[in-house]
Amino acid sequence: MNIFKKTILTIFASLFLTVSVSADSIRIGTEGAYPPWNAKDESGKLIGFEVELANWLCIYMGKECTIVEQDWDGMIPGLIMRKYDAIMAGMSITDERMKTINFSQGYADEVAQLAVMKGSSLEGMDTPSGINLSLGGSDVKSALKTLTGALAGKTVCVQTATIHQNFLESGDVGSVSIRTYKTQDEVNLDLTAGRCDAALAAAVAFTDYAEKSGKDVVLVGPTFSGGAFGNGVGVGIRKDDTDLLKSFNKAIDTARKQGKISELAIKWFGFDASM
Amino acid sequence: MGLLAYGDTGWGDELFFATLMTIAVAAAAIFIGFFLAAIFASFKLSKSKTLNLIGSFYTTVFRGVPELLVIYLFFFGSSGAVMYVARIFGYDGYIEVNAFLTGALSIGIISGAYSTEVFRGAIQSINKGQFEASQVLGFKKKIYYYKIIIPQMLRLALPNISNVWQITLKDTSLISVTGLVEIMRMSYVAAGSTRDPLFFYSFAAVLYLFLTFLSLKLFNKLENHYSKGY
Amino acid sequence: MIESLPRLLNATKVTIELTLLSLLFGIFVGVFFALLRTSKNRVFYFISYYYSYIFRGTPLLVQIFIIYFGLGQVEWIRESFLWILLKEPYSCAILAFTLNTGAYSSEIFRSAFETINKGVLEAAKGLGFNKLHIFFKIKLPIAIRQSLPAYGNEMILMLKGTSLASTVTLLDLTGVAKHIISTTFRPVEVFIVAGSIYLIMTFIIHNFIKYLEKKYSYE
């Protein structure tokens, strides 16, 4: 009986609540497919670092929040169409995106890295452990040169419309063959299937996948930051919503001071990625 | 089979509700389609050249453009369009057209383009003499339509409506891209979460086969029922 | 919007290629299964029946996902010769489209074969034509003419179907349209341009079939 009631209610709700006018609450868009930043559990509930952080930020702002699920490729259009008022989806602050939307101050560092399957010829590349593209210098140049040589003729897989795709398309590592996917899950699947020679994403996305799937995914090459990789992950907000931007910045300040961001980062990433 | 457990540990309950959603959205879509088809079929059969043109434009566009594009267009455009209209009337807030309505409308408009052709064909095949006969018998035009034309049309159109229903049912899988949680979306999420795409997509295929099989049986029954007396 | 046109036109080539290759392979698959269907062997009949039933009873999206993402996860498939075909998204898409259009085509061809006048075949036999001759010179041409209108529809459906290639990383017309949107954030305009290109292609197919129907009409 319970099942039937739930069914009928679900159907009625979706049939009749066709047009919903937003109340005084803030709607936050997230992808729900980029663990450990944001993901979904077996009961279909949204979980992850950003989902918890979003709830805390709303508490600090004293506002009610609803978290809205949105596919990555429609994330920014969805914000502009006012489907939600803010984006918290592991979205890095980049100049490219700043042309269209605003960002709050960064709340976490996203470190990008290449991943391959164990035994790949790309293992053991001789590069520094991390490079910052904004700084430049001979270190960065030689590392990029090594990468260009190693990746020549290889297929590198990335999620579509990401900083990782932008970086590969920038020509910094020569002309690799890039394959773009709708979600990071799909990138992971094709990396393990052997369809990709390498994949590029947030390093934690790969370590999380390797741990949960038990597959031999290993990180190679330097960690990337700066340049096309932007300056950390922030809350995306429409250009004209300056008030909301201020309240988010203030709430992030509070969260940082109270150690909330560090606490959640350690819980979800295993290390303090707060900024 | 743990993957299909009912409750919080598996995907059984989620997939069950997703199947109901598929049925609901397909049913809503086909009725929206019938409604549109009634209008556009009459346009196509009308003596006015302009109306003919509008009717042809509708069926050509929505049978000629990929369903996926139509869905994307609605998904990205519907809220914007509704808000634009609302602004004309002085309302400047955010209005969301929910995923169900967006899905049902976009699939419905496509389904309607197919139904238009079915309705048109069915009406044309009805013997003209019947109209004259009913006039001689003094039937009013309205009664003539409801009592004579429509029942006959339905009988003639049933096999084709069955086809349109199958197309519509399968097209609903494409609205998964908008986030509406129907069979395909749920399988997509489950496949991503469990890293077992083969199992979940195959299971989705079985669910769709079950639905198409069931509807075929249902339509066969209806056809038998309505062809009594012929 | 104008800037995106060259990229969209370039991607149209991929769409056309996918459509033509799938249709070409699909015809062979379709004829093959149509013949199995008319065979007196029960096993052949059932194979053909269930092939067509399954591929027509499930959405193309499910089929392409099973072939690309599903089979890609099976280890023994990855170690077999099948992997040559299944490794690349392009060949996976072609495979899925071919099997799909093959199922619909087999139904179209089957009913076309069934409508061939028995008398014609008797006459041909009487004139001493051999079996192969009858098939290629009489049965097949009649069946092709018979199935033109329905097959024209199937061609348009396949053209539209190729838009699903974008879900397995291919950059066809729909894939590139989505790609442009994710960087320009102007969805409606780009989709309208892409939609118009598809419409032009359906228009061409539609008229091509009409032309063929006229050319090969019996009158």
Side-chain angles (χ1 to χ4, degrees):
Chain A
M1 198 58 214
N2 204 6
I3 301 165
F4 267 94
K5 266 187 188 161
K6 201 171 149 193
T7 312
I8 289 164
L9 272 175
T10 322
I11 289 172
F12 266 66
S14 45
L15 284 177
F16 293 114
L17 300 176
T18 47
V19 174
S20 75
V21 181
S22 77
D24 195 33
S25 72
I26 301 174
R27 298 152 64 90
I28 301 176
T30 197
E31 190 195 359
Y34 201 60
W37 292 83
N38 53 74
K40 260 185 169 176
D41 69 5
E42 262 78 10
S43 61
K45 216 180 80 194
L46 286 164
I47 52 164
F49 168 71
E50 283 171 317
V51 176
E52 287 191 21
L53 181 62
N55 287 328
W56 278 104
L57 293 182
C58 292
I59 292 170
Y60 296 139
M61 288 189 281
K63 294 256 174 123
E64 243 177 68
C65 286
T66 340
I67 298 189
V68 183
E69 197 188 328
Q70 167 66 49
D71 282 352
W72 177 257
D73 49 10
M75 197 58 87
I76 291 181
L79 177 72
I80 293 169
M81 286 182 331
R82 303 204 274 181
K83 200 175 167 206
Y84 32 83
D85 311 298
I87 296 172
M88 287 181 77
M91 190 178 274
S92 299
I93 305 163
T94 63
D95 295 340
E96 174 87 23
R97 290 179 181 136
M98 291 281 263
K99 284 182 204 155
T100 324
I101 58 171
N102 261 339
F103 278 100
S104 72
Q105 56 171 310
Y107 51 79
D109 235 340
E110 199 208 55
V111 184
Q113 205 169 354
L114 283 165
V116 296
M117 294 310 287
K118 207 173 197 156
S120 154
S121 63
L122 292 170
E123 268 183 296
M125 247 185 289
D126 182 28
T127 57
S129 60
I131 56 173
N132 185 324
L133 298 173
S134 304
L135 296 178
S138 59
D139 257 19
V140 173
K141 269 204 191 115
S142 78
L144 288 179
K145 216 175 152 193
T146 314
L147 284 166
T148 307
L151 292 177
K154 300 268 196 270
T155 303
V156 183
C157 300
V158 289
Q159 188 179 9
T160 185
T162 53
I163 49 174
H164 316 107
Q165 183 187 354
N166 291 345
F167 170 69
L168 292 175
E169 280 175 352
S170 70
D172 277 356
V173 285
S175 53
V176 292
S177 124
I178 307 161
R179 205 174 275 169
T180 56
Y181 295 79
K182 196 172 155 72
T183 61
Q184 181 63 29
D185 284 334
E186 292 180 352
V187 174
N188 294 335
L189 284 179
D190 263 9
L191 178 67
T192 46
R195 288 198 182 106
C196 315
D197 297 313
L200 181 63
V204 286
F206 293 123
T207 45
D208 181 84
Y209 176 70
E211 189 187 312
K212 283 188 193 139
S213 66
K215 299 270 182 350
D216 285 332
V217 177
V218 286
L219 295 166
V220 294
T223 58
F224 300 95
S225 57
F229 290 95
N231 306 296
V233 174
V235 183
I237 290 160
R238 278 185 300 274
K239 288 244 179 203
D240 51 2
D241 270 358
T242 43
D243 287 347
L244 189 64
L245 182 69
K246 273 183 212 148
S247 9
F248 262 108
N249 275 332
K250 233 176 98 192
I252 293 171
D253 277 335
T254 316
R256 187 179 296 127
K257 257 183 242 151
Q258 300 202 351
K260 203 55 162 183
I261 305 183
S262 307
E263 179 195 321
L264 292 176
I266 290 167
K267 174 178 172 191
W268 288 97
F269 301 138
F271 59 93
D272 188 358
S274 70
M275 64 179 276
Chain B
M1 279 293 117
L3 289 173
L4 290 178
Y6 200 94
D8 280 351
T9 54
W11 297 89
D13 48 341
E14 279 85 0
L15 281 166
F16 174 69
F17 289 114
T19 308
L20 294 178
M21 183 56 93
T22 291
I23 298 171
V25 91
I30 201 157
F31 280 111
I32 292 171
F34 284 168
F35 178 74
L36 291 170
I39 296 171
F40 285 104
S42 68
F43 278 12
K44 277 197 137 174
L45 291 168
S46 119
K47 285 187 191 92
S48 151
K49 278 260 187 310
T50 330
L51 290 183
N52 286 170
L53 211 67
I54 297 173
S56 302
F57 181 78
Y58 169 67
T59 51
T60 311
V61 167
F62 288 98
R63 290 187 310 155
V65 172
E67 296 79 357
L68 202 56
L69 274 186
V70 177
I71 290 162
Y72 274 122
L73 198 63
F74 263 77
F75 176 61
F76 285 116
S78 61
S79 278
V82 170
M83 281 191 287
Y84 181 79
V85 173
R87 218 159 292 149
I88 294 174
F89 291 98
Y91 179 78
D92 198 26
Y94 172 75
I95 304 169
E96 182 180 358
V97 181
N98 82 356
F100 182 85
L101 194 66
T102 314
L105 270 179
S106 43
I107 299 290
I109 284 182
I110 298 163
S111 168
Y114 290 98
S115 297
T116 301
E117 296 298 329
V118 172
F119 284 13
R120 188 183 60 119
I123 292 173
Q124 277 176 330
S125 60
I126 292 170
N127 195 335
K128 282 252 158 59
Q130 293 193 359
F131 183 62
E132 277 142 34
S134 64
Q135 266 181 333
V136 174
L137 291 170
F139 280 146
K140 278 195 191 133
K141 217 173 174 183
K142 225 181 186 171
I143 294 177
Y144 160 68
Y145 264 105
Y146 282 116
K147 294 276 170 192
I148 299 173
I149 293 288
I150 290 181
Q152 285 196 71
M153 202 188 87
L154 278 179
R155 187 185 62 83
L156 287 169
L158 255 182
N160 291 324
I161 289 176
S162 168
N163 271 337
V164 175
W165 167 252
Q166 301 267 353
I167 294 173
T168 307
L169 192 63
K170 285 183 280 173
D171 276 353
T172 60
S173 68
L174 299 172
I175 45 180
S176 58
V177 296
T178 68
L180 184 76
V181 187
E182 40 65 73
I183 294 175
M184 202 54 208
R185 179 72 182 192
M186 205 64 243
S187 315
Y188 191 80
V189 172
S193 174
T194 59
R195 293 169 292 277
D196 195 350
L198 184 61
F199 175 78
F200 281 104
Y201 294 144
S202 305
F203 191 69
V206 171
L207 288 176
Y208 281 112
L209 267 183
F210 173 70
L211 290 182
T212 44
F213 172 78
L214 215 67
S215 15
L216 211 61
K217 287 269 166 254
L218 215 73
F219 271 101
N220 281 343
K221 245 194 180 145
L222 275 179
E223 270 169 53
N224 287 338
H225 179 79
Y226 280 109
S227 47
K228 269 181 205 157
Y230 280 92
Chain C
M1 209 159 100
I2 298 296
E3 319 83 75
S4 60
L5 201 59
R7 288 177 68 192
L8 288 173
L9 287 177
N10 232 340
T12 307
K13 280 190 221 151
V14 180
T15 293
I16 294 174
E17 229 176 77
L18 286 170
T19 311
L20 290 182
L21 283 177
S22 310
L23 286 173
L24 181 70
F25 296 140
I27 287 180
F28 288 108
V29 175
V31 171
F32 176 73
F33 280 101
L35 291 177
L36 282 196
R37 202 51 185 279
T38 48
S39 139
K40 281 175 195 96
N41 185 320
R42 297 289 286 175
V43 180
F44 287 164
Y45 176 86
F46 276 115
I47 291 174
S48 168
Y49 178 83
Y50 282 104
Y51 158 68
S52 146
Y53 190 84
I54 288 171
F55 279 89
R56 291 185 309 131
T58 55
L60 178 56
L61 185 65
V62 179
Q63 293 161 19
I64 196 167
F65 271 26
I66 290 177
I67 289 176
Y68 187 78
F69 290 114
L71 296 183
Q73 293 305 306
V74 184
E75 207 149 336
W76 64 262
I77 288 181
R78 289 211 299 267
E79 278 152 13
S80 73
F81 69 97
L82 284 171
W83 193 236
I84 303 165
L85 198 63
L86 292 172
K87 189 179 177 197
E88 294 304 318
Y90 193 84
S91 39
C92 281
I94 298 268
L95 179 66
F97 297 155
T98 299
L99 289 174
N100 185 272
T101 186
Y104 287 93
S105 311
S106 77
E107 294 292 325
I108 295 171
F109 298 149
R110 176 184 60 94
S111 69
F113 280 130
E114 278 169 3
T115 53
I116 295 175
N117 192 327
K118 288 263 150 55
V120 176
L121 300 178
E122 303 277 303
K125 252 185 224 162
L127 288 169
F129 285 144
N130 65 29
K131 256 188 165 173
L132 273 178
H133 212 126
I134 290 179
F135 180 74
F136 282 108
K137 293 279 167 184
I138 297 168
K139 266 178 125 173
L140 206 56
I142 295 178
I144 289 173
R145 171 62 191 86
Q146 227 22 297
S147 35
L148 267 182
Y151 192 71
N153 276 334
E154 177 52 29
M155 283 170 84
I156 292 173
L157 287 179
M158 196 64 259
L159 168 70
K160 295 199 292 173
T162 59
S163 68
L164 297 186
S166 62
T167 61
V168 291
T169 81
L170 287 178
L171 292 172
D172 70 320
L173 184 50
T174 305
V176 168
K178 267 165 66 190
H179 191 84
I180 294 173
I181 287 154
S182 66
T183 48
T184 60
F185 315 116
R186 312 272 312 263
V188 178
E189 291 91 327
V190 178
F191 279 135
I192 285 175
V193 176
S196 310
I197 298 178
Y198 276 110
L199 260 187
I200 294 169
M201 291 193 280
T202 18
F203 185 76
I204 293 171
I205 296 177
H206 182 82
N207 283 295
F208 175 64
I209 291 293
K210 260 199 168 156
Y211 162 80
L212 285 184
E213 273 180 56
K214 222 177 190 167
K215 192 172 167 196
Y216 295 108
S217 67
Y218 302 122
E219 285 93 42

